[in-house]
Amino acid sequence: LHIEPSIAGLAAHRASAEQIAMIQRLAERVAAAGLDTEPATLERWDSAFHRSLAEAAGNRLFLDLFEVIDKIRYDPSWQSTRARARTPEGKTRSANQHLEIAAAIAARDSVRATQIMRQHIASHQEALLKAMNTDQPG
């Protein structure tokens, strides 16, 4: 909730034209992958999108932190929880947020990019907590 919004805000300021084009293509690819039933495919494209933001932010510390966080994606228990947390509505919301983040970065609107990323991460957090709580014995 702190790192990724900061990354998006910096990317809005620092991204090159080529990086912005890549971010937009990846946002579109994530949206298309959301229709795919294979969670691993969606995870790979989502990772590539978020990595492109970290690279565009031009901050080595944020890129290093992203690398550490991104490794969690490949943990089997994380993948299982993420799969249970995904809903059709959540996939649509997430896809739209990726597209909005890309548009804000392209417009060099760091405030909007930061805001949408914060909403994006918060909605994932909420879905993950709900999925983990349904796993608990009643």
Side-chain angles (χ1 to χ4, degrees):
L1 284 171
H2 297 285
I3 294 169
E4 294 243 34
S6 296
I7 287 171
L10 279 175
H13 283 295
R14 297 180 175 171
S16 68
E18 293 81 18
Q19 288 171 319
I20 290 171
M22 176 63 75
I23 289 166
Q24 290 175 314
R25 282 193 305 272
L26 287 169
E28 292 166 5
R29 190 63 186 108
V30 171
L35 303 174
D36 192 331
T37 57
E38 177 58 42
T41 302
L42 180 56
E43 283 294 334
R44 282 192 300 277
W45 286 112
D46 187 58
S47 174
F49 173 78
H50 287 272
R51 178 181 306 284
S52 72
L53 298 181
E55 290 170 352
N59 181 300
R60 187 68 218 176
L61 176 60
F62 280 152
L63 186 54
D64 289 345
L65 289 170
F66 172 80
E67 298 276 343
V68 171
I69 293 167
D70 195 49
K71 288 182 194 247
I72 294 169
R73 287 179 189 274
Y74 302 101
D75 179 86
S77 65
W78 171 257
Q79 289 180 355
S80 173
T81 302
R82 280 270 286 183
R84 287 190 316 280
R86 284 193 184 97
T87 64
E89 299 82 19
K91 285 194 233 182
T92 299
R93 180 178 49 250
S94 182
N96 289 336
Q97 289 167 334
H98 282 108
L99 295 168
E100 288 181 55
I101 292 164
I105 290 170
R108 303 289 186 189
D109 187 342
S110 64
V111 172
R112 183 81 176 137
T114 300
Q115 176 187 41
I116 298 299
M117 181 61 82
R118 187 169 287 117
Q119 291 171 1
H120 178 64
I121 299 301
S123 62
H124 281 302
Q125 181 184 37
E126 182 180 324
L128 287 166
L129 289 172
K130 185 176 179 181
M132 289 188 294
N133 286 335
T134 59
D135 291 344
Q136 302 300 316

